[in-house]
Amino acid sequence: MEKILTQHEIDDMVRGARGGAAAPVSEASFSRWDYRQAGRLGREQLASISTLHDGFARTLTHSIGAYLRAAFQVSMTSAEHLTYGEFLNGIPETTYLASCKVLPFNATGLIQLDLSIAFALIDMLLGGEGSDPPPSRDITEIEEQVAETAIQIVFRELQTTWQALAVEFQFEQRKQIGEAQQLMGFQERMLCLGFEVVLKERRGGMTIAIPTVISSALLRKISAVRPRFYTRPDSANFPQLLRKLLLKCPFRLDLGLAARALSSELAEIHPGKVIALSHAATAPATLFSRDKPIFTANVARVGQIRAARIVSAVEAPIERKVV
């Protein structure tokens, strides 16, 4: 039985007979997909998360600082998506770790605080100065109850920050590392927010871990309320957009005379009194923008409205004094 050639084989034979090379067989290129890349924060998402929690850090600085009546500062250092296993592997073996229930999602979040800060907080909450070196031991049950006061403030401010989702952070209890390993699967993805905490001379880290099922909902909320004209500062048209927005900003303008007066003259001011100013009658007045002189101008009128006719730009600074 003769072999029946396909049209592709016939074309190859014709090209070969003519001395041409056969058409190469196209092969699709494939690359291995790394599932660990799924859920990573993009640049815009990272900017949104960072902006939101920079505000959280400032609010927490004031709240706990006022509660302790001491110098207390929190600043955000990182925001990233990690698996739960990566989060647990990244925290010290001996640390303060507590869980919270996130409602209405019925999910579990965690907060980790370095013991150098935890012991200083406990000392100050008990009336101390918080300046003693941290002991080389774990926190006792009584100290856990004392530390819970500060952790409750953290969750309260975090709840205010996430109010767009109407979530509630309910403190549960302190967890040992072994107990925390049973809370969820190691492959569960978490949004991990890193902060640096400074309390007097003590410096340490704090990490808040929230399941991505909640953080993704927060990002969608942020994106929904973001203005349509939002543009990243590093985009090409950002300067033009910024200029366009600034041109619509209102500025206060004042037209006046820069002069000085003695206190005795001010004491005798009354309605109808004429005060002679050291200003020539033919000299223009000064146009001020937010108390800064920008132009000289004459008083004018447009219909029934007072106006200022610009004479020249102000080159030398003029000190404005209210008479």
Side-chain angles (χ1 to χ4, degrees):
M1 181 177 180
E2 291 185 332
K3 178 182 178 181
I4 300 176
L5 299 178
T6 65
Q7 184 62 46
H8 181 71
E9 291 173 331
I10 294 173
D11 292 341
D12 285 345
M13 291 180 64
V14 172
R15 276 190 290 268
R18 292 177 178 176
V25 179
S26 60
E27 296 182 359
S29 60
F30 299 92
S31 59
R32 185 183 297 274
W33 179 67
D34 187 356
Y35 73 93
R36 292 172 296 181
Q37 298 292 329
R40 292 292 173 90
L41 289 173
R43 293 181 62 183
E44 292 190 5
Q45 292 176 321
L46 181 60
S48 300
I49 288 292
S50 298
T51 301
L52 185 67
H53 292 92
D54 279 339
F56 162 73
R58 290 191 296 269
T59 304
L60 189 61
T61 295
H62 297 311
S63 298
I64 295 187
Y67 189 82
L68 297 176
R69 296 183 180 180
F72 183 84
Q73 184 176 358
V74 182
S75 55
M76 187 175 183
T77 57
S78 64
E80 56 184 341
H81 277 163
L82 299 175
T83 64
Y84 186 55
E86 291 171 335
F87 164 71
L88 291 179
N89 290 334
I91 61 178
E93 292 184 4
T94 306
T95 187
Y96 179 89
L97 184 66
S99 64
C100 69
K101 186 63 68 177
V102 186
L103 301 176
F105 294 88
N106 198 30
T108 300
L110 292 110
I111 181 172
Q112 177 268 328
L113 187 64
D114 287 351
L115 288 184
S116 58
I117 296 297
F119 276 120
L121 277 172
I122 294 169
D123 186 37
M124 296 195 68
L125 289 171
L126 292 175
E129 296 295 327
S131 56
D132 295 335
S136 56
R137 58 172 176 81
D138 201 356
I139 295 178
T140 65
E141 292 185 4
I142 295 178
E143 290 171 333
E144 287 179 12
Q145 298 176 7
V146 176
E148 182 181 334
T149 303
I151 302 302
Q152 292 278 15
I153 297 177
V154 174
F155 286 140
R156 183 192 69 195
E157 298 301 341
L158 187 63
Q159 179 173 314
T160 302
T161 302
W162 288 47
Q163 60 184 347
L165 283 183
V167 297
E168 181 180 356
F169 292 89
Q170 291 184 352
F171 178 87
E172 289 186 322
Q173 61 181 348
R174 189 195 172 196
K175 298 285 187 181
Q176 299 295 334
I177 298 295
E179 297 174 325
Q181 292 175 348
Q182 310 301 320
L183 289 177
M184 61 189 79
F186 281 10
Q187 298 305 316
E188 179 93 15
R189 297 201 68 82
M190 310 287 288
L191 172 65
C192 298
L193 306 170
F195 301 88
E196 182 184 51
V197 181
V198 179
L199 177 57
K200 290 191 171 182
E201 296 83 10
R202 301 296 169 201
R203 187 182 301 267
M206 178 179 71
T207 304
I208 298 175
I210 305 294
T212 53
V213 65
I214 306 176
S215 63
S216 297
L218 177 65
L219 286 170
R220 287 194 295 270
K221 275 285 187 180
I222 295 175
S223 300
V225 301
R226 176 182 293 165
R228 294 181 180 270
F229 56 78
Y230 175 79
T231 305
R232 296 200 310 267
D234 58 349
S235 61
N237 63 335
F238 182 76
Q240 292 80 3
L241 179 60
L242 181 61
R243 176 181 174 82
K244 181 179 178 181
L245 294 175
L246 288 176
L247 290 176
K248 298 180 181 180
C249 294
F251 287 86
R252 174 182 172 179
L253 295 177
D254 295 310
L255 185 63
L257 300 175
R260 297 178 181 273
L262 298 176
S263 57
S264 57
E265 294 175 319
L266 295 177
E268 297 177 358
I269 287 181
H270 58 79
K273 181 177 178 62
V274 177
I275 300 178
L277 304 176
S278 56
H279 206 84
T282 57
T286 303
L287 185 67
F288 295 89
S289 175
R290 296 184 62 85
D291 295 331
K292 293 184 178 180
I294 54 175
F295 289 98
T296 59
N298 290 322
V299 179
R301 185 178 71 176
V302 178
Q304 300 299 318
I305 301 176
R306 288 288 187 184
R309 182 177 180 273
I310 303 301
V311 176
S312 62
V314 174
E315 297 181 359
I318 300 176
E319 184 179 1
R320 185 186 183 194
K321 297 294 183 179
V322 180
V323 178

